[in-house]
Amino acid sequence: QLQLVESGGGLVQPGGSLSLSCSAVGFTLDYFAIGWFRQVTGKERETVSCISSSGDRIDYADSVKGRFTISRDNAKNTAYLQMDSLKPEDTAVYSCGALMYGSICPANGMHYWGKGTLVTVSS
């Protein structure tokens, strides 16, 4: 069974930080673009960040530029999203997705998805 598993979500105060992890089970991420996405009730899924299969192309949503950092460690078969200076509007369910041979991360076009982890930014 091929799947992605996220971890690291939780409750954090505004201005705080969290680090999310996305690990592949049953396959290697080496040839996949990895994206982080978020979704809140009543809104469509948003692409937060994306790192290409080669690792050379990285994209961020305008809303998180300068605050979030995506990375990957192929040796650990894991991708990460470091989130700093968190704001209440960052509250969402964060999911990771993988796209074979991908260089971009369409919000509804990834091959594999994790179930998501809840990030709540609140005082």
Side-chain angles (χ1 to χ4, degrees):
Q1 186 175 31
L2 308 180
Q3 63 182 73
L4 299 172
V5 180
E6 304 97 337
S7 63
L11 174 65
V12 64
Q13 293 185 339
S17 298
L18 283 175
S19 182
L20 306 182
S21 298
C22 172
S23 296
V25 178
F27 68 104
T28 177
L29 290 173
D30 288 4
Y31 305 107
F32 291 80
I34 305 298
W36 283 99
F37 309 83
R38 65 187 182 188
Q39 188 169 25
V40 298
T41 302
K43 298 184 67 176
E44 294 184 352
R45 183 186 296 113
E46 174 190 14
T47 303
V48 174
S49 187
C50 178
I51 184 167
S52 65
S53 56
S54 68
D56 291 333
R57 177 172 178 169
I58 295 176
D59 296 302
Y60 297 98
D62 289 341
S63 59
V64 307
K65 286 181 179 177
R67 300 189 297 118
F68 291 9
T69 303
I70 191 171
S71 62
R72 64 192 300 160
D73 187 340
N74 288 345
K76 296 182 178 180
N77 211 27
T78 301
Y80 306 93
L81 185 68
Q82 177 65 42
M83 304 184 293
D84 299 318
S85 301
L86 283 162
K87 305 174 180 179
E89 52 263 43
D90 294 319
T91 296
V93 174
Y94 284 73
S95 301
C96 62
L99 181 64
M100 186 70 162
Y101 302 121
S103 59
I104 60 173
C105 299
N108 294 294
M110 308 300 283
H111 287 142
Y112 302 107
W113 292 94
K115 293 182 178 179
T117 184
L118 177 63
V119 172
T120 302
V121 184
S122 176
S123 298

